Amino acid sequence: MASPRHFLTLNDFSAGELQALIDRAIEMKTEHRAGTARPLFPGKVMAMIFEKSSTRTRVSFEAGMAQLGGHAMFLSPNDTQLGRGEPVEDSARVISSMVDIVMIRTFGHDIIERFAAASSVPVINALTDDYHPCQLLADMQTYQEHRGSIAGRTVAWVGDGNNMAQSYINAAGQFDFQLRVACPAGYEPASALLDAYADRVQLVEDPREAVAGADLVVTDVWASMGQEEEQKTRERAFAGYQVNAALMAHAAADALYMHCLPAHRGEEISAELMDASDTVIWDEAENRLHAQKALIEALLNAAA
Ligand code: CP
Ligand code: NVA
């Protein structure tokens, strides 16, 4: 059997395929709201493996599969053999023999790579320590809906050089924008990634320098899942990296700001921006549903 198509990073799809996914997500959103969407995948089953917490990712994949006419099952390490040391490859072989598509949220990116290599069905990265590509689909959809194509625009990442920042680096290449990353020393994205995208990505320390004239400003929590014990150290390191109205004053006049959520008001983003009536952050969260339905459709059709 040919190996299935996976979505472990944005680079698993071509730029053209990613743009088609965004366009399709917008179409599916319209159909969903109009009540004209059809259940395209009756009987298809998704296994959702969560080794970290989630609200948006779980709800969007589970609701998405139901809306497509299929079913999603939640699997956690607490009540499966995954948490008792069954090898990743054995789990992948068995689970993929019974379902049509798998979604995994885990720690090391190598875990999802190993799972995918042993899986007979498509595997979607629902967040690893290194990447969160599904969130980028929602973010790119949201930008396009509000401002049109992001190609040729400037995006500022302010904060930790984490899984979201690294997915924005991939997105800079795939969606053809310039990215300025403002991080405190010691919290930069992986140097190999920065080197590979040197023509697209500029690393600076001063958030104002990153945001100057930017069309989109993005941030995320200072301590990601798995880094909870570093919270206090990180609060000190990231002081001065809050996205707030004063920082946004340096961006383009019609600049958007985004946050994948969950957010900590008063830390990486001000309460004022979170609670602004014109923020697109809630659209960004909702678009996880539509973008991932487009992704599931593409992967299931490729596997058919
Ligand atoms: N943005 C995001 O992935 O949220 P959850 O952790 O709630 O899934
Ligand atoms: N960087 C965050 C994203 C949460 C959606 C984390 O990994 O916890």
Side-chain angles (χ1 to χ4, degrees), residues 55-66:
T55 296
R56 279 143 289 273
T57 304
R58 178 174 178 182
V59 173
S60 54
F61 273 113
E62 195 161 335
M65 279 304 291

Side-chain angles (χ1 to χ4, degrees), residues 221-303:
V221 291
W222 292 336
S224 284
M225 289 181 277
Q227 299 171 332
E228 287 79 5
E229 73 291 350
E230 297 175 36
Q231 176 68 29
K232 289 291 162 212
T233 318
R234 284 171 171 266
E235 280 175 26
R236 286 190 290 276
F238 286 91
Y241 283 80
Q242 183 184 89
V243 174
N244 52 33
L247 186 63
M248 288 304 296
H250 296 271
D254 67 344
L256 298 177
Y257 55 88
M258 294 190 192
H259 189 309
C260 64
L261 304 179
H264 296 141
R265 285 171 173 74
E267 289 183 30
E268 76 276 1
I269 188 163
S270 67
E272 182 188 16
L273 289 192
M274 278 302 296
D275 298 327
S277 59
D278 62 350
T279 181
V280 302
I281 283 176
W282 312 113
D283 294 346
E284 179 190 3
E286 181 193 329
N287 283 340
R288 292 291 303 279
L289 172 70
H290 310 295
Q292 288 160 198
K293 280 164 74 179
L295 174 65
I296 292 165
E297 178 184 58
L299 288 172
L300 287 180
N301 283 343

Side-chain angles (χ1 to χ4, degrees), residues 52 71 74 141-142 173 250 267 273:
K52 291 176 176 173
H71 177 80
F74 175 79
Q141 178 184 348
T142 307
H250 296 271
E267 289 183 30
L273 289 192

Side-chain angles (χ1 to χ4, degrees), residues 143 154-158 168 207 210-212 214-219 243-244 247-248 250-252 255-259 269 273:
Y143 190 89
T154 299
V155 178
W157 175 269
V158 178
Y168 261 89
V211 166
D215 302 292
L216 172 62
V217 178
V218 196
T219 192
V243 174
N244 52 33
L247 186 63
M248 288 304 296
H250 296 271
L256 298 177
Y257 55 88
M258 294 190 192
H259 189 309
I269 188 163
L273 289 192

Side-chain angles (χ1 to χ4, degrees), residues 40-283:
L40 298 171
F41 296 107
K44 296 291 183 186
V45 177
M46 168 181 274
M48 305 189 300
I49 300 171
F50 281 99
E51 299 200 300
K52 291 176 176 173
S53 301
S54 167
T55 296
R56 279 143 289 273
T57 304
R58 178 174 178 182
V59 173
S60 54
F61 273 113
E62 195 161 335
M65 279 304 291
Q67 290 164 14
L68 291 169
H71 177 80
M73 79 177 65
F74 175 79
L75 301 171
S76 91
N78 297 333
D79 38 36
T80 62
Q81 303 291 1
L82 289 161
R84 296 183 62 254
E86 183 168 13
V88 169
E89 289 78 6
D90 293 359
S91 302
R93 189 162 173 179
V94 172
I95 293 169
S96 69
S97 75
M98 301 184 196
V99 304
D100 303 285
I101 189 163
V102 177
M103 179 239 85
I104 307 179
R105 168 167 287 194
T106 188
F107 291 88
H109 194 72
D110 61 306
I111 295 172
I112 200 167
E113 288 179 334
R114 285 170 51 202
F115 192 108
S119 172
S120 57
V121 301
V123 175
I124 296 172
N125 178 0
L127 184 146
T128 62
D129 290 345
D130 291 351
Y131 296 103
H132 194 7
C134 290
Q135 184 67 51
L136 263 290
L137 296 180
D139 287 22
M140 294 299 100
Q141 178 184 348
T142 307
Y143 190 89
Q144 183 169 319
E145 285 174 339
H146 287 273
R147 295 286 184 268
S149 173
I150 201 164
R153 303 284 189 163
T154 299
V155 178
W157 175 269
V158 178
D160 192 19
N162 61 15
N163 43 12
M164 279 295 300
Q166 298 201 145
S167 283
Y168 261 89
I169 293 175
N170 286 344
Q174 294 288 51
F175 290 91
D176 189 23
F177 57 80
Q178 291 295 317
L179 179 66
R180 298 196 205 114
V181 178
C183 296
Y187 295 96
E188 299 89 351
S191 55
L193 201 55
L194 290 169
D195 291 346
Y197 286 84
D199 58 331
R200 291 267 173 206
V201 183
Q202 189 192 345
L203 186 64
V204 298
E205 264 198 55
D206 184 350
R208 285 166 302 188
E209 192 182 338
V211 166
D215 302 292
L216 172 62
V217 178
V218 196
T219 192
D220 186 15
V221 291
W222 292 336
S224 284
M225 289 181 277
Q227 299 171 332
E228 287 79 5
E229 73 291 350
E230 297 175 36
Q231 176 68 29
K232 289 291 162 212
T233 318
R234 284 171 171 266
E235 280 175 26
R236 286 190 290 276
F238 286 91
Y241 283 80
Q242 183 184 89
V243 174
N244 52 33
L247 186 63
M248 288 304 296
H250 296 271
D254 67 344
L256 298 177
Y257 55 88
M258 294 190 192
H259 189 309
C260 64
L261 304 179
H264 296 141
R265 285 171 173 74
E267 289 183 30
E268 76 276 1
I269 188 163
S270 67
E272 182 188 16
L273 289 192
M274 278 302 296
D275 298 327
S277 59
D278 62 350
T279 181
V280 302
I281 283 176
W282 312 113
D283 294 346

